Amino acid sequence: MNITQRTGIMILMLLGTLACSNDQVIHHNGITTANMTTANSEHSNQKPAYRPDLFPESAAIPFDENLGQPLESGAPPTGAKLFKSFALPQSDAEVLVYTSGDDSAGLTGYLKGRNSEWKLGDLSSFNVNQDWIHSLNSLTGDVSGAVMEIPFGSIGAKKGLLIYHHNSDSWNVVDFQGHPAIPLDLDNDGVPEWIGNQTDWVPPALEIHRWVAEHDRFESTVLQWSSLFPDTDNEAPSYSALFTENGEHLIQIGNSDAYAFFTYDQGVLKQCRPADTRDRVLEMQMARHH
């Protein structure tokens, strides 16, 4: 065997040794790199588990006053023409839409109270062929209200609630921060909550806006693990989502490790244990990716 052949054999043996060492390097914890790769792969594929034991049976939801969209006082400019108007029930209040031209161009909304007038903002997306406003009949107390069904205001809210307080001759505009929201009576008490089920957010989040009669105002919250269950000491990003099945409103709350189900009852979350405990949020996300 000549020197060239011997050299070639030695190189092949060395490469083989290096290849084996890359596959089976032993660390101080006794796990090989091949095993670590498998372990990491298994961890990345780990799915959240249904763990009702990690959650309290009930929790009061921390609501905050919904301050809504600020208004500025103002009246239509000289030459503006009244395009549409809507009178709020049992009050001196009106919602007025003015145009700066002869048609629906340059529309601006105003709120007129007993002795005051406020500028609601641009209504450039006004559609003359759709219902643009209707009374908000679920309010109680010394207030009247309406649901605005068209984009309005500085942030182009898709829908909003216009609340007029008779005694103070003042308004509050709930614009849901520009997010979509629908009325839904979560606890079947006859007064609908306004729900923003933001399933396209990352992570998904459920917004609840409720009318509080004793304070004559709307209050809002976003359901998050850390604020709902502060004693569980879980800082991982969490999600919340609403599912309606067979007439029942089911709220799933969780994170990448665990989840549980709840119902809503007048400002309180109550844990429930449905017969079907599958991960609905995971199914929703997987369906979106296919």
Side-chain angles (χ1 to χ4, degrees), residues 8-275:
I9 292 172
M10 292 179 65
I11 291 173
L12 290 173
M13 292 176 63
L14 179 60
L15 290 174
T17 302
L18 289 172
C20 290
S21 64
N22 283 336
D23 286 338
Q24 298 290 329
V25 174
I26 305 298
H27 294 261
H28 70 277
N29 58 8
I31 301 178
T32 66
T33 41
N35 288 338
M36 288 181 66
T37 302
T38 302
N40 289 336
S41 175
E42 290 175 352
H43 179 74
S44 63
N45 293 327
Q46 182 179 0
K47 296 180 181 180
Y50 174 58
R51 291 291 307 275
D53 57 296
L54 297 180
F55 298 81
E57 290 299 317
S58 65
I61 299 174
F63 281 90
D64 293 317
E65 180 180 0
N66 193 320
L67 299 178
Q69 186 174 130
L71 297 172
E72 58 180 279
S73 60
T78 303
K81 298 179 180 180
L82 182 63
F83 182 74
K84 292 281 186 180
S85 64
F86 181 85
L88 269 63
Q90 301 177 346
S91 75
D92 300 321
E94 292 181 280
V95 182
L96 307 171
V97 180
Y98 280 84
T99 176
S100 58
D102 294 328
D103 51 20
S104 59
L107 295 178
T108 305
Y110 294 87
L111 304 176
K112 186 178 184 302
R114 184 173 58 252
N115 298 305
S116 62
E117 197 160 19
W118 303 84
K119 185 176 180 179
L120 180 61
D122 176 59
L123 301 180
S124 58
S125 299
F126 194 104
N127 184 343
V128 296
N129 297 317
Q130 77 177 75
D131 291 334
W132 67 286
I133 193 170
H134 61 268
S135 298
L136 186 60
N137 297 318
S138 60
L139 299 184
T140 57
D142 189 38
V143 292
S144 297
V147 181
M148 196 88 159
E149 298 282 2
I150 57 175
F152 68 93
S154 58
I155 62 175
K158 295 178 176 62
K159 179 179 289 188
L161 310 179
L162 312 177
I163 315 301
Y164 177 69
H165 299 263
H166 303 172
N167 288 341
S168 59
D169 189 24
S170 62
W171 293 81
N172 180 238
V173 178
V174 179
D175 58 11
F176 309 119
Q177 298 182 332
H179 307 151
I182 62 170
L184 191 64
D185 191 354
L186 289 181
D187 47 12
N188 299 312
D189 65 348
V191 180
E193 288 70 37
W194 285 80
I195 304 302
N197 197 25
Q198 316 303 352
T199 57
D200 56 343
W201 288 8
V202 180
L206 178 63
E207 295 179 289
I208 301 178
H209 309 266
R210 66 169 184 172
W211 175 251
V212 183
E214 55 267 34
H215 297 143
D216 283 345
R217 71 187 190 190
F218 272 92
E219 296 180 344
S220 303
T221 190
V222 178
L223 298 188
Q224 295 176 318
W225 190 328
S226 58
S227 58
L228 286 167
F229 320 117
D231 295 336
T232 58
D233 192 27
N234 193 316
E235 298 299 328
S238 65
Y239 63 79
S240 56
L242 174 68
F243 300 89
T244 300
E245 300 173 351
N246 300 319
E248 181 182 15
H249 305 305
L250 201 62
I251 299 172
Q252 181 176 333
I253 299 175
N255 59 18
S256 57
D257 296 323
Y259 65 90
F261 297 100
F262 297 84
T263 57
Y264 175 91
D265 184 12
Q266 298 188 358
V268 176
L269 282 181
K270 295 183 178 180
Q271 189 175 158
C272 64
R273 291 172 170 78

